[in-house]
Amino acid sequence: MDLGQAMSVARWPPLCLVPSQCGSKIAHRSSSSQPRFRRSRRRSTVSVRASMEEARSAIEVVRWAFSEDPASWGAAMVANGVIFALGFPLLRAGLTWPGVGNAYILGLVLWRAFGGQGLLVAAIYFCLGTGATKVKIKQKEAEGIAEKRSGKRGPASVWGSGSAGIVCALAAASGIGGSDFLPLWKLAFVASFSTKLSDTISSEIGKAYGKTTYLVTNFSIVPRGTEGAVSLEGTAAGLVASILLASAAWSLHEVDFSGAVICVISSQVANFFESYLGATLQGKPGFEWLNNDIVNVLNIAAGATLAILFKLSFM
């Protein structure tokens, strides 16, 4: 194979034997490529500017969603979506995938009715409740008294915890009772979550650290995890938890000081009622339908109702 054949096989460009012609070809190629480079640079600049404009628009939408007061449904969707995106790892630590979806609906309604302060009250409840559920989770699992799925809650638990709160939020958003009744809806909402947090903390801390547990009906000693059983450690922890959440709601101006005190008292009375139901009816013949989630709904409904009754009694 000669040199010409080898160059042909390798598809090399033909050798330029005349220097003047070579220079003109190179100059022609260089000058013809410059407009293409400029067009490419221009397109890139336009694309960057368009992306920056889109980012500015998105930031303005988020700023509007967080600042609108009272919040519209659109603002609530955006603000709640941003918070859920930022807090997604924490949400997945305590909720199943369907649980996250249902929690978004709950958060959406809470933001629409009570703004960011209302959602923050629910977020505090979730963080403290999830943390307590994870305390000594291996020990609880070994004893057979842990929550299912390593403590991750599903849709039933979301609504077992938030049903009374969302009823209050929908009533407030719909204007039921007018502006004069709005403080009562806020009070009942805070009382429902104070009740549920107290119940969750007392149960989970009692399972983890309770030395002696007593059946609430006759105070006989029973194993940890028994429905309707209470412990000194768990009860004290539940009381502290309700005080913390009611204090947070007071600092966020969801309730006044007397309202915070009412939330604490209501939560403790409602939790005694819940323990009594667990000891006397839950799981008994004829009451198989009365499972833990339904008892939770009755518990928080009792806490919210008691708070309204107490407030009306002292007004």
Side-chain angles (χ1 to χ4, degrees):
M1 181 183 297
D2 59 19
L3 180 60
Q5 289 174 330
M7 289 171 59
S8 175
V9 171
R11 297 185 179 178
W12 289 356
L15 291 173
C16 182
L17 302 178
V18 182
S20 61
Q21 292 179 357
C22 292
S24 64
K25 287 178 182 178
I26 291 171
H28 174 70
R29 286 175 188 164
S30 174
S31 61
S32 64
S33 66
Q34 284 178 4
R36 281 188 213 154
F37 175 70
R38 286 185 191 135
R39 282 196 299 271
S40 174
R41 226 166 84 178
R42 211 172 289 128
R43 280 196 297 268
S44 177
T45 303
V46 170
S47 177
V48 169
R49 285 176 181 167
S51 298
M52 290 177 66
E53 286 299 323
E54 289 174 1
R56 286 195 196 99
S57 299
I59 291 171
E60 286 302 317
V61 169
V62 171
R63 187 178 298 166
W64 159 77
F66 277 85
S67 62
E68 190 177 51
D69 185 25
S72 63
W73 285 108
M77 288 179 65
V78 174
N80 198 44
V82 170
I83 290 172
F84 267 61
L86 294 175
F88 185 74
L90 181 59
L91 287 166
R92 281 293 289 134
L95 296 170
T96 63
W97 279 102
V100 173
N102 283 264
Y104 176 82
I105 297 171
L106 175 62
L108 171 66
V109 179
L110 293 182
W111 190 287
R112 169 63 181 84
F114 304 130
Q117 296 93 328
L119 185 61
L120 185 54
V121 169
I124 293 170
Y125 154 76
F126 174 76
C127 293
L128 293 177
T130 299
T133 302
K134 300 293 185 182
V135 170
K136 291 195 173 184
I137 187 69
K138 296 299 181 184
Q139 173 189 304
K140 295 173 187 175
E141 288 174 340
E143 295 176 1
I145 56 175
E147 289 291 325
K148 298 176 183 176
R149 301 180 294 267
S150 296
K152 288 190 175 184
R153 318 262 178 169
S157 292
V158 171
W159 298 117
S161 303
S163 55
I166 202 171
V167 168
C168 295
L170 287 171
S174 302
I176 295 176
S179 59
D180 292 339
F181 218 76
L182 180 60
L184 287 177
W185 292 129
K186 286 186 176 183
L187 174 69
F189 153 69
V190 174
S192 71
F193 276 97
S194 294
T195 300
K196 189 65 191 81
L197 180 62
S198 180
D199 173 45
T200 300
I201 296 293
S202 61
S203 175
E204 295 298 335
I205 297 302
K207 290 176 187 177
Y209 296 106
K211 293 183 174 62
T212 307
T213 50
Y214 305 91
L215 200 61
V216 73
T217 51
N218 56 18
F219 291 97
S220 59
I221 297 176
V222 292
R224 284 188 298 190
T226 302
E227 292 296 343
V230 296
S231 68
L232 179 61
E233 295 84 358
T235 302
L239 176 61
V240 171
S242 67
I243 292 172
L244 285 175
L245 191 62
S247 299
W250 173 49
S251 67
L252 292 167
H253 307 292
E254 287 296 286
V255 294
D256 57 18
F257 182 77
S258 64
V261 173
I262 286 173
C263 287
V264 174
I265 296 172
S266 300
S267 70
Q268 300 312 297
V269 175
N271 279 335
F272 180 83
F273 163 73
E274 189 260 355
S275 297
Y276 190 84
L277 272 183
T280 57
L281 298 179
Q282 187 175 350
K284 301 297 189 293
F287 291 92
E288 290 81 5
W289 55 272
L290 192 63
N291 59 27
N292 196 52
D293 293 320
I294 294 176
V295 169
N296 284 336
V297 171
L298 296 174
N299 181 29
I300 61 176
T305 304
L306 284 170
I308 290 178
L309 293 176
F310 285 149
K311 187 68 173 178
L312 291 176
S313 299
F314 294 110
M315 283 179 68

